[in-house]
mmCIF file of all heavy atoms in Angstrom:
data_model
loop_
_atom_site.group_PDB
_atom_site.id
_atom_site.type_symbol
_atom_site.label_atom_id
_atom_site.label_comp_id
_atom_site.label_asym_id
_atom_site.label_seq_id
_atom_site.Cartn_x
_atom_site.Cartn_y
_atom_site.Cartn_z
ATOM 1 N N GLU A 37 -13.478 -46.636 33.547
ATOM 2 C CA GLU A 37 -12.693 -45.766 32.771
ATOM 3 C C GLU A 37 -13.638 -45.034 31.806
ATOM 4 O O GLU A 37 -13.359 -43.832 31.563
ATOM 5 C CB GLU A 37 -11.595 -46.545 31.986
ATOM 6 C CG GLU A 37 -10.500 -47.023 32.859
ATOM 7 C CD GLU A 37 -9.501 -47.950 32.068
ATOM 8 O OE1 GLU A 37 -9.730 -48.201 30.899
ATOM 9 O OE2 GLU A 37 -8.468 -48.279 32.731
ATOM 10 N N TYR A 38 -14.615 -45.661 31.222
ATOM 11 C CA TYR A 38 -15.494 -44.995 30.289
ATOM 12 C C TYR A 38 -16.291 -43.878 31.035
ATOM 13 O O TYR A 38 -16.378 -42.750 30.538
ATOM 14 C CB TYR A 38 -16.497 -46.059 29.745
ATOM 15 C CG TYR A 38 -17.570 -45.501 28.865
ATOM 16 C CD1 TYR A 38 -17.250 -45.005 27.610
ATOM 17 C CD2 TYR A 38 -18.884 -45.480 29.295
ATOM 18 C CE1 TYR A 38 -18.250 -44.512 26.745
ATOM 19 C CE2 TYR A 38 -19.850 -44.908 28.464
ATOM 20 C CZ TYR A 38 -19.558 -44.480 27.169
ATOM 21 O OH TYR A 38 -20.532 -43.948 26.371
ATOM 22 N N VAL A 39 -16.877 -44.149 32.164
ATOM 23 C CA VAL A 39 -17.639 -43.278 32.911
ATOM 24 C C VAL A 39 -16.759 -42.075 33.362
ATOM 25 O O VAL A 39 -17.104 -40.878 33.267
ATOM 26 C CB VAL A 39 -18.306 -43.886 34.152
ATOM 27 C CG1 VAL A 39 -18.871 -42.816 35.080
ATOM 28 C CG2 VAL A 39 -19.440 -44.839 33.664
ATOM 29 N N GLN A 40 -15.528 -42.382 33.860
ATOM 30 C CA GLN A 40 -14.591 -41.353 34.308
ATOM 31 C C GLN A 40 -14.217 -40.422 33.151
ATOM 32 O O GLN A 40 -14.148 -39.214 33.340
ATOM 33 C CB GLN A 40 -13.402 -41.982 34.958
ATOM 34 C CG GLN A 40 -12.508 -41.000 35.649
ATOM 35 C CD GLN A 40 -13.228 -40.224 36.748
ATOM 36 O OE1 GLN A 40 -13.827 -40.816 37.617
ATOM 37 N NE2 GLN A 40 -13.172 -38.900 36.681
ATOM 38 N N ARG A 41 -13.971 -41.025 32.007
ATOM 39 C CA ARG A 41 -13.590 -40.165 30.858
ATOM 40 C C ARG A 41 -14.684 -39.236 30.473
ATOM 41 O O ARG A 41 -14.459 -38.053 30.155
ATOM 42 C CB ARG A 41 -13.142 -41.038 29.710
ATOM 43 C CG ARG A 41 -12.559 -40.284 28.585
ATOM 44 C CD ARG A 41 -11.799 -41.162 27.678
ATOM 45 N NE ARG A 41 -11.365 -40.412 26.478
ATOM 46 C CZ ARG A 41 -10.850 -40.841 25.376
ATOM 47 N NH1 ARG A 41 -10.739 -42.153 25.298
ATOM 48 N NH2 ARG A 41 -10.534 -40.107 24.387
ATOM 49 N N LEU A 42 -15.926 -39.675 30.525
ATOM 50 C CA LEU A 42 -17.068 -38.823 30.151
ATOM 51 C C LEU A 42 -17.217 -37.718 31.260
ATOM 52 O O LEU A 42 -17.451 -36.546 30.898
ATOM 53 C CB LEU A 42 -18.320 -39.652 30.055
ATOM 54 C CG LEU A 42 -18.486 -40.542 28.873
ATOM 55 C CD1 LEU A 42 -19.744 -41.369 28.906
ATOM 56 C CD2 LEU A 42 -18.449 -39.755 27.552
ATOM 57 N N LYS A 43 -17.060 -38.095 32.473
ATOM 58 C CA LYS A 43 -17.102 -37.116 33.571
ATOM 59 C C LYS A 43 -16.045 -36.052 33.472
ATOM 60 O O LYS A 43 -16.248 -34.866 33.647
ATOM 61 C CB LYS A 43 -17.065 -37.768 34.962
ATOM 62 C CG LYS A 43 -18.320 -38.493 35.322
ATOM 63 C CD LYS A 43 -18.175 -39.131 36.722
ATOM 64 C CE LYS A 43 -19.429 -39.866 37.172
ATOM 65 N NZ LYS A 43 -19.318 -40.500 38.465
ATOM 66 N N ASP A 44 -14.793 -36.527 33.142
ATOM 67 C CA ASP A 44 -13.645 -35.592 32.984
ATOM 68 C C ASP A 44 -13.941 -34.645 31.837
ATOM 69 O O ASP A 44 -13.606 -33.445 31.926
ATOM 70 C CB ASP A 44 -12.392 -36.361 32.739
ATOM 71 C CG ASP A 44 -11.895 -37.087 33.999
ATOM 72 O OD1 ASP A 44 -12.370 -36.934 35.080
ATOM 73 O OD2 ASP A 44 -10.969 -38.010 33.784
ATOM 74 N N GLY A 45 -14.469 -35.136 30.759
ATOM 75 C CA GLY A 45 -14.792 -34.237 29.617
ATOM 76 C C GLY A 45 -15.848 -33.233 29.988
ATOM 77 O O GLY A 45 -15.748 -32.018 29.609
ATOM 78 N N GLU A 46 -16.831 -33.661 30.760
ATOM 79 C CA GLU A 46 -17.877 -32.691 31.195
ATOM 80 C C GLU A 46 -17.320 -31.614 32.091
ATOM 81 O O GLU A 46 -17.590 -30.424 31.926
ATOM 82 C CB GLU A 46 -18.956 -33.505 31.962
ATOM 83 C CG GLU A 46 -20.088 -32.662 32.323
ATOM 84 C CD GLU A 46 -21.237 -33.424 33.035
ATOM 85 O OE1 GLU A 46 -21.096 -34.618 33.225
ATOM 86 O OE2 GLU A 46 -22.260 -32.792 33.371
ATOM 87 N N SER A 73 -17.218 -36.138 22.614
ATOM 88 C CA SER A 73 -18.006 -37.118 23.323
ATOM 89 C C SER A 73 -18.583 -38.166 22.344
ATOM 90 O O SER A 73 -18.550 -39.371 22.649
ATOM 91 C CB SER A 73 -19.161 -36.392 24.039
ATOM 92 O OG SER A 73 -20.045 -37.287 24.605
ATOM 93 N N TYR A 76 -15.863 -40.508 21.328
ATOM 94 C CA TYR A 76 -15.532 -41.479 22.403
ATOM 95 C C TYR A 76 -16.639 -42.565 22.524
ATOM 96 O O TYR A 76 -16.287 -43.709 22.769
ATOM 97 C CB TYR A 76 -15.284 -40.736 23.705
ATOM 98 C CG TYR A 76 -14.870 -41.667 24.797
ATOM 99 C CD1 TYR A 76 -13.704 -42.400 24.636
ATOM 100 C CD2 TYR A 76 -15.588 -41.848 25.963
ATOM 101 C CE1 TYR A 76 -13.298 -43.323 25.603
ATOM 102 C CE2 TYR A 76 -15.199 -42.764 26.941
ATOM 103 C CZ TYR A 76 -14.018 -43.454 26.803
ATOM 104 O OH TYR A 76 -13.646 -44.290 27.752
ATOM 105 N N ILE A 77 -17.862 -42.160 22.458
ATOM 106 C CA ILE A 77 -18.964 -43.096 22.446
ATOM 107 C C ILE A 77 -18.845 -44.158 21.367
ATOM 108 O O ILE A 77 -18.913 -45.362 21.560
ATOM 109 C CB ILE A 77 -20.351 -42.436 22.463
ATOM 110 C CG1 ILE A 77 -20.599 -41.698 23.794
ATOM 111 C CG2 ILE A 77 -21.479 -43.425 22.173
ATOM 112 C CD1 ILE A 77 -21.720 -40.701 23.756
#
Side-chain angles (χ1 to χ4, degrees):
E37 288 174 353
Y38 176 72
V39 169
Q40 189 59 51
R41 188 163 174 192
L42 289 176
K43 285 181 180 179
D44 291 347
E46 185 177 2
S73 174
Y76 185 58
I77 288 168

